[in-house]
Amino acid sequence: MLSGSIYLMTYEEYKTEYGIRLDPAQDAACRETEGHILLLAVPGSGKTTVMTARLGYLVRGKNVPADSVLAVTYSVAGAAEMQKRYEAVFGSRDVEIRTIHGFCSKIISAYGRVCGKKPFSLIDGDGGQARIIRDILRKYGGYPSENEVKDVMTAVTYCRNMMLDDREVEKVSIDGRDFPQIYRAYREFKRENRLMDYDDQLFYGYNIICRFPDAVREYAGRFRYVCVDEAQDTSKIQHMIIRRAAEGCGNLFMVGDEDQSIYGFRAAYPQGLLEFDSVYPDAKVLFIEKNYRSTKTVVSAADRFIALNTDRREKHMVTDNPQGEKIETVRLSDLSELPVYIKTAAREAERESGKTTAVLCRLNDSLIPMIDILSDAGISYTARAGDGLFFTHFIVRDILAIMRFARDPFDAGLFEEIYYKLSAGVSRADFEYAVRVNRGAKMLSYPEFMATCPVMRESVRKRMKTISAALFRISSAMSANAIRLIMSDCGYGAYLSHRTNDLSKVSTLLAIAERRRGQSDFVDRLSQLREVVMSGGSGGGIILSTIHSAKGMEFDRVIICDAKNGVLPSVFEPSAGKYTDEELASREEDRRLFYVAVTRAKERLALVTYDSEFGKKTGGFDFITTLLCEKEGKRDEGLPRGAKETEKLALGYFKGDVIWHRVFGEGVISSIKGDRADVKFYKYRCPKSIDLRYCIVNRLIRSV
């Protein structure tokens, strides 16, 4: 059709011209250009392809001016990838893909030009922010580790992105630090020095759009179409910015999947997707549910697993791909065997030319023993997560300090570092007395002095006698046994139990120590290993990655190693008989994280389990059990005693029955078909479909 001298292509002409091939659901999303539209896209469904094709259709097919299209995504890497794809199809970058931070930067600059105000200077990346926070932490005592600085930075980002007020900030806590005090000091430092960080860009950009729309109309008012990718990763304030940006045009296209929202610690706000048609009552909600990546086996298992979440829209992932191989369960007797198994898998990967194998873990720390054994053996690998923070963590520093003190128990400096971490009830006054009285003579080690000093309390003398004997054994023990003695006989394990439930640092140290007999060899390897981890590997071979770092990627074979209770899921038992709202939210995000990990696999999926961790029995693998039971129906395997008898009770539930579910809380059964029941749980908006038989067998539900 002609509009003046401009030729407007039909949609079909556009697809032919640029070789665009889409399935019917993708096609519908691309063709629909007017109004507010939410596109929910399952893993491997080609959402970036749809976004790219739709942007092209607006500019190339409908001749919409490129500078009137605002295309934004969550991350710099995501923006770069979409820009690359757009240029590959259309041969130019007439549409610029921005991050939301980049958009806000433009808003701030436009406001500054119009109002004649110089914006605050942007702090030089994470490094600049880290230096400021480190200096603030030092003012409040001690020498903060890189981990502590990172924790504060993450908490600052969370507060700003969730738009928390001062009263809400007071409730945010970090182990061992008064975060609200620190937060206020950081905010004042920025204000006094006319500085802003990346989170401030969002805050200032939003305030300018809300309060001074006329001042930025020349820039923000020109957009006729607003397109947002990776919307499930977008924070609360970013959603508010997008809504403001789209306010005047009436054409907001948002793509995402709340089932893949895994950045809650960075304030990701998947509720923005769930609220979309409430915010925009005239909105259309579209779905692309066909997975082009994975086998039927993986797709079916993953779809049934994620359906256990309630804070989501009902959708079902399907595929036309072959059935594929059965999901493999790798059963190890102990966690100490895992690095050797990964070494074997890496050798296999070297022989499978053209195939990719990835090992996915929740924790960076879990990858370090694998890097240790692969680098030692000269096997090629690529590590996608290597920040080196493990090596400066207080647990690692403490254990090494106790090892050193065991060899030199006369060192007052080392004793000062650790005396209060030995669960012996030693006060600062006790320590200072021991140093003052015993320093000159050096007849006895400090633990021996305290064990025999009549001035000390009896409980202190008794504990220090035990600790003195333990330190003697530690001084000549092999490195792994030394760590075990430090945790048990030295009381350090009891000390940690009051500070954290996360003992992954100890497990990682043990895994490294098991391969290094002498303590000096172990300490030397730790020093080398930090550099090895930071290097990221050789750039080829097997891929070692956290699940978060692997998001958006795909691999022929995926091995998941961290799906144990206490890690993934982090919350596996209710704290007070039933899950709190916070525990429910955490468990749902953990389930989404496991879902993301599973759906990275194209052909083969392996799930690693083990009976014990360095001799201590594990707490189980709930997510793996659920995934396999849902997919394969092997409900007799690993079930509670008497499960077969209990199964018969499933049909004893009827429509209208009130039940209590261990995860979802109380609800009423609205319908039953076979083993499946639709339940309206009181705490959630949407009914939930559950497998009654499975729930009964696994003691997930009871009558009320």
Side-chain angles (χ1 to χ4, degrees):
M1 174 177 87
L2 290 175
S3 178
S5 61
I6 299 174
Y7 181 75
L8 302 183
M9 294 182 185
T10 67
Y11 181 66
E12 294 302 326
E13 287 174 335
Y14 159 73
K15 289 200 300 180
T16 301
E17 176 72 19
Y18 294 101
I20 305 295
R21 293 183 176 86
L22 303 172
D23 69 29
Q26 294 171 332
D27 200 71
C30 184
R31 177 193 298 268
E32 198 77 55
T33 60
E34 306 305 308
H36 299 308
I37 300 164
L38 173 64
L39 177 63
L40 297 173
V42 304
S45 61
K47 64 178 178 60
T48 304
T49 299
V50 173
M51 176 67 87
T52 304
R54 192 177 186 275
L55 289 172
Y57 180 48
L58 287 171
V59 176
R60 303 302 177 97
K62 302 187 69 172
N63 276 310
V64 174
D67 64 358
S68 68
V69 178
L70 175 62
V72 295
T73 189
Y74 168 72
S75 66
V76 173
E81 176 61 24
M82 191 182 295
Q83 194 79 62
K84 181 180 175 182
R85 291 202 189 188
Y86 185 91
E87 291 178 31
V89 177
F90 302 107
S92 77
R93 54 179 304 148
D94 46 9
V95 175
E96 184 179 353
I97 318 298
R98 302 175 176 87
T99 62
I100 301 175
H101 286 87
F103 171 67
C104 286
S105 178
K106 294 279 191 181
I107 291 289
I108 295 168
S109 297
Y111 174 73
R113 285 194 304 272
V114 172
C115 298
K117 295 184 178 181
K118 185 180 179 182
F120 285 6
S121 299
L122 185 64
I123 295 172
D124 182 24
D126 288 348
Q129 186 186 29
R131 284 192 298 273
I132 296 167
I133 289 175
R134 188 178 293 107
D135 289 343
I136 292 170
L137 290 173
R138 283 173 178 166
K139 289 178 182 177
Y140 291 103
Y143 294 91
S145 67
E146 293 176 39
N147 298 82
E148 288 179 288
V149 173
K150 184 181 179 182
D151 287 345
V152 171
M153 290 168 63
T154 301
V156 167
T157 290
Y158 181 85
C159 291
R160 295 295 268 175
N161 278 266
M162 285 300 289
M163 307 174 75
L164 303 188
D165 58 30
D166 288 345
R167 177 179 52 83
E168 292 168 319
V169 170
E170 290 293 327
K171 299 176 183 178
V172 178
S173 61
I174 296 177
D175 287 344
R177 295 284 186 176
D178 185 348
F179 174 74
Q181 195 178 36
I182 294 164
Y183 182 79
R184 286 192 292 269
Y186 176 59
R187 187 171 59 189
E188 285 303 311
F189 179 89
K190 289 186 295 179
R191 185 179 294 135
E192 291 170 1
N193 293 275
R194 294 186 58 81
L195 295 171
M196 65 177 172
D197 57 27
Y198 286 113
D199 300 316
D200 293 329
Q201 277 189 327
L202 300 174
F203 186 80
Y204 295 149
Y206 178 65
N207 279 344
I208 290 169
I209 292 179
C210 293
R211 297 174 60 191
F212 310 104
D214 291 340
V216 294
R217 193 173 303 280
E218 183 180 343
Y219 175 70
R222 74 181 190 219
F223 297 114
R224 293 167 50 191
Y225 297 87
V226 177
C227 304
V228 184
D229 196 19
E230 300 288 3
Q232 75 280 344
D233 298 328
T234 304
S235 69
K236 186 175 185 178
I237 194 169
Q238 289 172 332
H239 273 287
M240 300 305 291
I241 292 165
I242 290 163
R243 290 173 190 177
R244 283 286 182 174
E247 206 168 56
C249 70
N251 295 310
L252 171 60
F253 181 70
M254 185 173 283
V255 184
D257 180 12
E258 73 277 10
D259 290 337
Q260 297 181 72
S261 181
I262 58 173
Y263 291 108
F265 62 95
R266 295 182 190 166
Y269 191 68
Q271 291 84 351
L273 300 181
L274 302 175
E275 299 167 352
F276 192 87
D277 39 358
S278 299
V279 176
Y280 305 108
D282 61 339
K284 294 179 180 178
V285 180
L286 306 177
F287 297 83
I288 49 175
E289 298 173 290
K290 183 179 286 187
N291 177 298
Y292 289 92
R293 174 185 299 151
S294 307
T295 63
K296 277 189 172 70
T297 297
V298 170
V299 166
S300 176
D303 183 65
R304 294 183 183 183
F305 177 82
I306 199 61
L308 293 171
N309 271 8
T310 59
D311 232 5
R312 66 189 295 267
R313 293 180 188 262
E314 193 70 24
K315 54 184 166 305
H316 292 287
M317 183 168 56
V318 297
T319 187
D320 293 335
N321 289 339
Q323 190 69 35
E325 296 184 20
K326 175 184 174 183
I327 296 173
E328 179 187 3
T329 303
V330 179
R331 302 184 186 276
L332 307 176
S333 59
D334 193 88
L335 178 58
S336 60
E337 299 171 11
L338 180 57
V340 178
Y341 167 73
I342 297 301
K343 181 180 176 181
T344 303
R347 290 290 193 203
E348 291 175 5
E350 286 183 329
R351 293 191 295 268
E352 292 184 331
S353 179
K355 297 287 186 179
T356 54
T357 297
V359 178
L360 303 184
C361 298
R362 178 173 198 160
L363 305 173
N364 265 313
D365 298 350
S366 302
L367 300 172
I368 295 175
M370 304 174 194
I371 294 172
D372 179 33
I373 196 169
L374 294 180
S375 61
D376 241 11
I379 299 173
S380 58
Y381 69 93
T382 300
R384 289 185 51 80
D387 55 19
L389 293 180
F390 165 82
F391 301 92
T392 62
H393 193 274
F394 81 89
I395 292 177
V396 176
R397 295 201 315 257
D398 285 349
I399 288 175
L400 292 179
I402 295 170
M403 275 187 178
R404 291 198 303 274
F405 186 68
R407 296 192 296 273
D408 185 8
F410 300 91
D411 189 315
L414 280 173
F415 192 42
E416 186 174 17
E417 284 185 46
I418 66 166
Y419 75 87
Y420 59 94
K421 300 176 181 180
L422 303 178
S423 303
V426 177
S427 67
R428 181 71 188 181
D430 294 335
F431 162 76
E432 290 176 347
Y433 178 83
V435 171
R436 186 172 64 253
V437 175
N438 192 53
R439 184 191 293 270
K442 282 197 174 182
M443 300 277 300
L444 298 171
S445 69
Y446 287 110
E448 288 172 330
F449 174 81
M450 284 190 164
T452 57
C453 179
V455 174
M456 299 293 162
R457 298 179 303 282
E458 184 180 354
S459 60
V460 171
R461 292 199 303 270
K462 186 177 180 180
R463 276 292 299 142
M464 292 309 293
K465 184 178 180 180
T466 300
I467 290 169
S468 181
L471 289 168
F472 179 77
R473 293 196 299 275
I474 289 167
S475 66
S476 58
M478 295 296 100
S479 49
N481 287 335
I483 295 170
R484 293 187 181 96
L485 287 167
I486 288 168
M487 293 293 294
S488 56
D489 294 20
C490 272
Y492 187 65
Y495 167 77
L496 285 183
S497 68
H498 297 294
R499 291 202 57 177
T500 179
N501 293 321
D502 181 12
L503 298 182
S504 61
K505 302 290 187 298
V506 180
S507 293
T508 300
L509 284 174
L510 280 169
I512 299 167
E514 289 282 6
R515 302 187 59 247
R516 310 284 164 179
R517 294 181 60 80
Q519 291 182 38
S520 60
D521 185 29
F522 167 66
V523 172
D524 288 346
R525 181 54 178 169
L526 277 182
S527 180
Q528 300 165 1
L529 201 50
R530 182 177 187 182
E531 300 303 316
V532 173
V533 169
M534 295 287 286
S535 73
S538 58
I542 196 169
I543 298 156
L544 311 178
S545 176
T546 62
I547 302 170
H548 286 96
S549 295
K551 188 171 179 290
M553 304 183 72
E554 60 183 31
F555 313 94
D556 295 297
R557 183 189 185 194
V558 168
I559 303 168
I560 301 175
C561 297
D562 255 0
K564 65 174 181 178
N565 293 351
V567 176
L568 187 65
S570 55
V571 177
F572 58 97
E573 286 186 356
S575 57
K578 61 181 181 178
Y579 291 106
T580 64
D581 289 345
E582 291 77 14
E583 288 171 335
L584 276 171
S586 174
R587 192 168 175 89
E588 292 227 338
E589 172 137 340
D590 284 351
R591 196 176 281 117
R592 294 194 294 267
L593 186 62
F594 187 63
Y595 173 74
V596 166
V598 167
T599 54
R600 298 312 93 193
K602 293 169 65 178
E603 298 175 3
R604 299 167 62 192
L605 174 64
L607 308 170
V608 178
T609 67
Y610 35 88
D611 299 326
S612 59
E613 294 182 56
F614 306 100
K616 184 180 178 181
K617 187 174 175 60
T618 60
F621 298 82
D622 281 7
F623 279 3
I624 291 178
T625 300
T626 301
L627 185 83
L628 295 178
C629 283
E630 287 283 343
K631 167 63 185 74
E632 298 176 336
K634 293 184 178 180
R635 297 184 172 92
D636 293 340
E637 196 172 310
L639 296 180
R641 188 175 296 170
K644 287 186 178 180
E645 290 73 20
T646 311
E647 275 191 291
K648 297 176 183 177
L649 299 177
L651 298 179
Y653 285 91
F654 301 94
K655 180 180 178 180
D657 284 355
V658 179
I659 64 169
W660 182 85
H661 192 285
R662 197 172 74 187
V663 177
F664 308 141
E666 197 168 304
V668 62
I669 297 176
S670 55
S671 67
I672 296 178
K673 187 175 181 180
D675 287 349
R676 300 207 69 84
D678 290 333
V679 184
K680 178 64 179 77
F681 292 104
Y682 301 143
K683 294 177 73 173
Y684 302 98
R685 296 182 301 174
C686 302
K688 186 66 197 156
S689 177
I690 65 171
D691 187 320
L692 278 174
R693 190 178 300 274
Y694 176 79
C695 289
I696 290 289
V697 168
N698 289 279
R699 300 175 181 174
L700 292 174
I701 62 172
R702 58 176 170 79
S703 297
V704 176

